[in-house]
Amino acid sequence: MGIVSLCLVLYFWLDSVGGTCSQISALSCDDCLQLGPQCAWCTLQNFTDFFPVDERCDTPEALLQKGCSGEFVEFPVTNVKVLKDQGLGKNSGHTNVSYIAPQKMRLQLRPGSQLTFQIQVQQPKDHPVDIYYLMDLSASMFDDLKKIKDLGSTLSKEMANLTSKFRLGFGSFVEKPVLPFIKITREELANPCRSFDLECLPTFGYRHLLSLTSSTDRFNEIISKQQISANIDIPEGGFDAIMQAAVCGDRIGWRNDSMKLLVFVSDADSHFGMDSKMSGIVVPNDGECHLDGNNEYSMTAHLEYPTLGQLVDKLVENNILLIFAVTKDQKENYENYASLIPGATVGVLASDSRNILELIMTSYKELRSEIDLEVLGNTEGLQMSFTALCQDGTITPGHKNCTNVKAGDVVSFNVTVEIKGCLGGPRRFSLRPVGFQDALEIELESQCVCSCHQTPETNSSFCSRGRGALECGECVCDPGFVGPKCECTESQDQVSDCRANEGAEVCSGQGECFCGQCVCLPSSFGRVYGPYCECDNFSCLRFRGELCGGHNRSCVSSDGSVCSGRGRCVCGKCECSVPGASGKHCERCPTCGDICSIHRSCAECFLKAKEPSDECAVKCSSLHTAVSNSTDFEESRAAPCTLQSEESCLLSFSLVASDHGSIIYNPKLYDCSEPPNAPLIALGVCMSVLIIGIALLVIWKFLVSVHDRKEVAKFEAEKAKAKWQSGTNPLFRSSTSTFKNVTYKSTGQQKSDVSLGR
């Protein structure tokens, strides 16, 4: 029986008893667990006497069929363990009341698995409420102070209908007292309102004025004593004040079990982040409490404004809900801030704060009517989804909140947790309703390590008389020994036993040789197996349960050729030989032509050569192609090819696929054009040059002649017009000259003239 036949027999037998886990080789118990939640590992010692080591990893059912009983199967299951569950509310009978159940649990998940559990949340009755009123005392809020002088009394009266455990506190803010936010002249520092003919307090950052108290009279008294201050830019330092109110819990007096509401009142935007760099303040906000002995923010001129991210962290950490009470023109700004802060709401404040009571009550009732889960802690590597089961019976997948909840109502949430792979360590996180102090604490572990590693049998006799430890059914060999049972030393050379034949790769290049036996390496494409790792289950597709459909023509491409004419068929699959070719049948080749063009060079070489040559043999063998002059072939299997050769001839042949490549039948060249007559072409070129030269010369002579004739005619015309006279001849000069002797004097005698001839 040949190797290919042996592979197929072995594969079908293993496939009939194997499960999905054995399709990808796993060589250890830990690797097996990571393949999927359905995979198990057989720890039976003699299991490998009948199966390869990678067959230890399979489904529990498949392992049982292979003879591995349940006591030898390592199969951790996903589970959830509730560590604390004392019930909901006061009816639970516990001293420490909790409004979420359960309170603590541990999850253990296999990679690729998911687990769903349910939590319940009750909206508490008569829940303690702490409200801290944080007010902007810049000059523009002057009229607002008058309107809220009785706020403590009216707010307390309204809240009494909702809870008997209500407390109020008060703080104020303006701006950082540094340039360019204020004027720093001596007069302006003492009275920043002097330009408005008003008396006001020096500018300050944040002051905590009243810790949370149930005394409404004390609240009203503190408000009545407040005075405004001023700054010169529009945004205020409100976020500095929010940060200090959130982190200075001991000074503010927040209760652990209360609903903590921070009411932020302002008619302007707020500075945040790096705005303070304008004043030279570059030290980032540290998120710590910095109230001095006078309950004033001592680092206002030294630390930057907090960023929105810092505010979110501290508000969530301290479980504080923020209510922005701002004027209409600032509503959009603070809605953008609120969208980033869990549980934050925005209400429109009248210009003089006359509606502040209504705004606080509306926001409080809105917060109390909704239960919204938030996830806190380390959830890296986890995928979580929620389904809300609300008090009215509605079930909403993908949501973790319920609305219109009344005091005493109980809502539930189904939480699904999934991990895709092994985690680096335990994940600890919590689920908490926004505004609640109670939370469900969760610890999650990934099950990626087999428990059988915890009880190894050291110096086991099974491992060649103590050459290693027996763990999970396998031998972990001591240094210097190798092999399934540590039977070989590292110096022994038995690599030749791991080759299918002389010259072949060790373990077919898909495994490692141990003591003369191949251990096949895992493959992401499927399962590798066989005595020499020469078989796999992913090179051919199945059809009706049979590998390659039970046929051997797996290499024939859609055009009838073997491997698209760009490779050869080896063991039922194509090995592409043409550069750039790829695909199951070498059908993809961006740089190749069609099937006929590929074989043109081989056919042309065969026709040109008078006798067989090495050049033609190389061209044809590289394409796994043979050439035959015979016309005896099966035309139904032939691909007719007609194309132009390098000499502009028409080349025709028939291409037939065979099991070992392609065959070119009956190649022919026809309609070849005659070669050009070189002497005639040369003569024609010379005659053309000569004729053109003569023509140019004649044209030049003609033009010169015409030009000369024009010049002569012009001269003649000018000559005919000329009229010569002696009196006007510019060339005529008289032949006599007259001279006068200026020194001669004669009395009574007349001057004499002397005329001389020339």
Side-chain angles (χ1 to χ4, degrees):
M1 181 182 295
I3 289 180
V4 175
S5 300
L6 178 62
C7 286
L8 291 174
V9 171
L10 180 60
Y11 173 75
F12 286 126
W13 180 77
L14 289 175
D15 192 57
S16 65
V17 299
T20 56
C21 301
S22 61
Q23 304 301 309
I24 300 178
S25 302
L27 303 181
S28 69
C29 184
D30 294 351
D31 292 341
C32 180
L33 296 188
Q34 297 179 38
L35 294 180
Q38 76 282 4
C39 297
W41 181 264
C42 179
T43 62
L44 186 64
Q45 293 181 8
N46 298 320
F47 185 83
T48 53
D49 293 346
F50 308 98
F51 298 92
V53 63
D54 58 329
E55 288 295 319
R56 286 184 181 274
C57 183
D58 216 323
T59 60
E61 297 79 9
L63 290 177
L64 185 62
Q65 293 182 25
K66 295 176 183 179
C68 187
S69 58
E71 60 183 307
F72 297 106
V73 175
E74 180 81 14
F75 185 58
V77 294
T78 294
N79 67 85
V80 55
K81 183 178 181 180
V82 177
L83 303 179
K84 184 179 179 181
D85 185 6
Q86 65 181 31
L88 285 173
K90 297 180 179 180
N91 296 330
S92 64
H94 290 79
T95 304
N96 296 325
V97 177
S98 177
Y99 294 98
I100 184 171
Q103 292 82 41
K104 192 172 185 178
M105 63 172 55
R106 178 183 294 118
L107 309 179
Q108 293 178 315
L109 272 74
R110 292 277 301 273
S113 66
Q114 62 180 25
L115 185 150
T116 300
F117 58 90
Q118 187 176 94
I119 63 174
Q120 292 182 316
V121 181
Q122 183 181 41
Q123 187 67 277
K125 298 179 180 179
D126 197 21
H127 194 55
V129 178
D130 290 340
I131 295 181
Y132 189 76
Y133 195 88
L134 186 59
M135 185 174 183
D136 176 5
L137 286 186
S138 59
S140 58
M141 299 290 287
F142 177 76
D143 55 343
D144 298 72
L145 274 175
K146 299 178 181 179
K147 291 291 184 181
I148 65 169
K149 61 181 180 179
D150 297 324
L151 177 63
S153 301
T154 55
L155 182 58
S156 179
K157 184 177 180 180
E158 290 291 332
M159 292 298 296
N161 298 325
L162 303 174
T163 178
S164 62
K165 304 172 183 178
F166 172 67
R167 298 194 308 172
L168 270 172
F170 185 80
S172 61
F173 65 90
V174 182
E175 179 59 281
K176 290 184 181 294
V178 293
L179 274 174
F181 308 127
I182 64 169
K183 297 178 181 178
I184 60 171
T185 62
R186 181 178 300 177
E187 296 79 7
E188 291 287 347
L189 287 175
N191 178 20
C193 300
R194 65 188 303 270
S195 58
F196 303 104
D197 295 328
L198 295 173
E199 288 289 334
C200 64
L201 296 176
T203 306
F204 60 90
Y206 161 66
R207 287 175 181 167
H208 167 54
L209 298 166
L210 177 66
S211 297
L212 292 163
T213 177
S214 58
S215 174
T216 57
D217 292 338
R218 178 64 178 154
F219 182 85
N220 292 338
E221 179 186 351
I222 291 294
I223 291 181
S224 64
K225 294 179 179 180
Q226 298 309 303
Q227 291 180 268
I228 60 170
S229 183
N231 58 312
I232 60 176
D233 68 330
I234 295 178
E236 317 291 7
F239 283 2
D240 264 345
I242 292 175
M243 174 62 78
Q244 293 303 300
V247 299
C248 298
D250 294 339
R251 297 286 190 94
I252 305 299
W254 298 114
R255 288 176 289 185
N256 290 333
D257 61 343
S258 68
M259 184 178 188
K260 307 177 184 69
L261 301 180
L262 197 160
V263 180
F264 178 89
V265 182
S266 180
D267 62 352
D269 199 358
S270 294
H271 286 295
F272 60 88
M274 295 185 291
D275 288 358
S276 54
K277 291 189 183 299
M278 294 185 293
S279 61
I281 301 175
V282 296
V283 180
N285 195 290
D286 59 5
E288 300 293 334
C289 180
H290 293 290
L291 292 183
D292 59 17
N294 296 321
N295 283 334
E296 190 163 341
Y297 181 32
S298 61
M299 299 297 286
T300 183
H302 304 285
L303 296 180
E304 290 183 342
Y305 299 104
T307 64
L308 278 173
Q310 288 176 313
L311 281 182
V312 170
D313 289 343
K314 293 303 178 181
L315 290 171
V316 171
E317 179 183 331
N318 294 283
N319 200 21
I320 296 173
L321 300 178
L322 191 57
I323 299 175
F324 287 118
V326 295
T327 51
K328 185 177 181 181
D329 59 320
Q330 296 298 325
K331 180 174 181 286
E332 184 177 356
N333 288 335
Y334 284 92
E335 282 181 341
N336 292 333
Y337 300 149
S339 66
L340 303 173
I341 304 174
T345 59
V346 180
V348 177
L349 183 71
S351 59
D352 57 359
S353 295
R354 61 180 178 276
N355 66 332
I356 186 63
L357 176 64
E358 179 186 354
L359 190 154
I360 293 175
M361 295 304 301
T362 301
S363 298
Y364 172 75
K365 292 177 181 179
E366 180 182 336
L367 291 170
R368 284 279 288 164
S369 67
E370 182 175 3
I371 293 180
D372 188 2
L373 281 185
E374 60 180 346
V375 182
L376 308 173
N378 184 7
T379 58
E380 182 181 359
L382 310 184
Q383 293 184 353
M384 302 181 66
S385 59
F386 298 85
T387 298
L389 291 77
C390 297
Q391 75 285 351
D392 56 0
T394 59
I395 300 175
T396 313
H399 286 70
K400 53 185 178 69
N401 68 304
C402 290
T403 57
N404 300 320
V405 183
K406 299 178 181 178
D409 286 348
V410 177
V411 299
S412 301
F413 299 94
N414 288 340
V415 184
T416 301
V417 183
E418 180 179 1
I419 60 174
K420 295 298 184 181
C422 295
L423 304 176
R427 296 287 186 267
R428 293 178 176 86
F429 59 98
S430 60
L431 301 176
R432 184 179 70 184
V434 175
F436 282 54
Q437 186 65 28
D438 303 322
L440 167 61
E441 298 178 0
I442 300 174
E443 180 179 328
L444 185 148
E445 297 178 347
S446 57
Q447 295 179 310
C448 295
V449 179
C450 296
S451 60
C452 54
H453 289 302
Q454 300 175 1
T455 56
E457 182 184 338
T458 58
N459 301 321
S460 173
S461 59
F462 180 77
C463 302
S464 299
R465 299 185 299 278
R467 289 183 173 180
L470 185 64
E471 289 186 20
C472 301
E474 293 184 305
C475 286
V476 180
C477 301
D478 294 336
F481 300 98
V482 293
K485 296 183 179 180
C486 307
E487 65 272 23
C488 302
T489 61
E490 291 180 345
S491 60
Q492 289 177 307
D493 185 12
Q494 296 178 319
V495 175
S496 60
D497 295 335
C498 295
R499 302 180 190 271
N501 51 65
E502 187 176 354
E505 288 188 87
V506 175
C507 299
S508 304
Q510 302 185 98
E512 296 181 355
C513 185
F514 292 101
C515 300
Q517 294 183 350
C518 286
V519 178
C520 303
L521 298 175
S523 172
S524 59
F525 297 103
R527 185 166 164 269
V528 179
Y529 59 98
Y532 304 104
C533 303
E534 72 278 14
C535 305
D536 59 59
N537 68 342
F538 50 83
S539 293
C540 286
L541 298 176
R542 293 187 187 183
F543 180 70
R544 294 179 180 175
E546 292 187 277
L547 201 64
C548 301
H551 301 287
N552 294 323
R553 295 185 57 81
S554 59
C555 295
V556 178
S557 53
S558 59
D559 60 2
S561 63
V562 172
C563 300
S564 303
R566 302 183 181 114
R568 61 192 181 112
C569 187
V570 179
C571 294
K573 64 178 183 178
C574 289
E575 290 187 357
C576 305
S577 57
V578 174
S582 62
K584 180 182 177 183
H585 297 113
C586 307
E587 71 276 7
R588 293 190 296 271
C589 186
T591 59
C592 302
D594 55 27
I595 187 65
C596 294
S597 299
I598 293 173
H599 294 84
R600 184 182 68 180
S601 60
C602 175
E604 283 185 334
C605 187
F606 179 81
L607 290 172
K608 290 179 183 179
K610 297 181 180 178
E611 57 184 20
S613 64
D614 293 338
E615 180 184 358
C616 294
V618 170
K619 287 185 177 181
C620 295
S621 62
S622 64
L623 298 170
H624 308 291
T625 304
V627 182
S628 174
N629 283 321
S630 174
T631 57
D632 185 16
F633 58 92
E634 187 177 348
E635 293 186 359
S636 60
R637 295 179 54 201
C641 296
T642 301
L643 51 132
Q644 193 172 24
S645 68
E646 293 180 353
E647 290 80 12
S648 300
C649 299
L650 290 179
L651 171 65
S652 67
F653 56 87
S654 298
L655 189 65
V656 179
S658 68
D659 291 338
H660 302 288
S662 303
I663 301 176
I664 294 175
Y665 282 95
N666 194 25
K668 292 181 180 179
L669 283 172
Y670 58 94
D671 288 346
C672 295
S673 58
E674 293 294 331
N677 191 332
L680 185 60
I681 293 175
L683 179 61
V685 172
C686 292
M687 292 300 296
S688 299
V689 172
L690 180 61
I691 293 172
I692 292 173
I694 294 173
L696 292 175
L697 185 60
V698 170
I699 293 172
W700 174 77
K701 187 63 178 175
F702 174 77
L703 293 176
V704 170
S705 177
V706 170
H707 180 267
D708 290 344
R709 289 179 181 178
K710 286 183 178 180
E711 290 296 324
V712 170
K714 183 178 179 181
F715 176 78
E716 292 293 338
E718 292 178 350
K719 181 180 178 182
K721 293 178 181 179
K723 295 181 179 180
W724 300 100
Q725 297 179 4
S726 59
T728 61
N729 187 355
L731 299 178
F732 173 79
R733 184 170 292 181
S734 176
S735 59
T736 60
S737 298
T738 302
F739 295 91
K740 182 181 289 186
N741 187 350
V742 296
T743 61
Y744 176 76
K745 293 183 180 180
S746 176
T747 307
Q749 293 183 357
Q750 295 181 349
K751 298 178 182 178
S752 62
D753 293 330
V754 179
S755 296
L756 300 177
R758 292 183 65 181

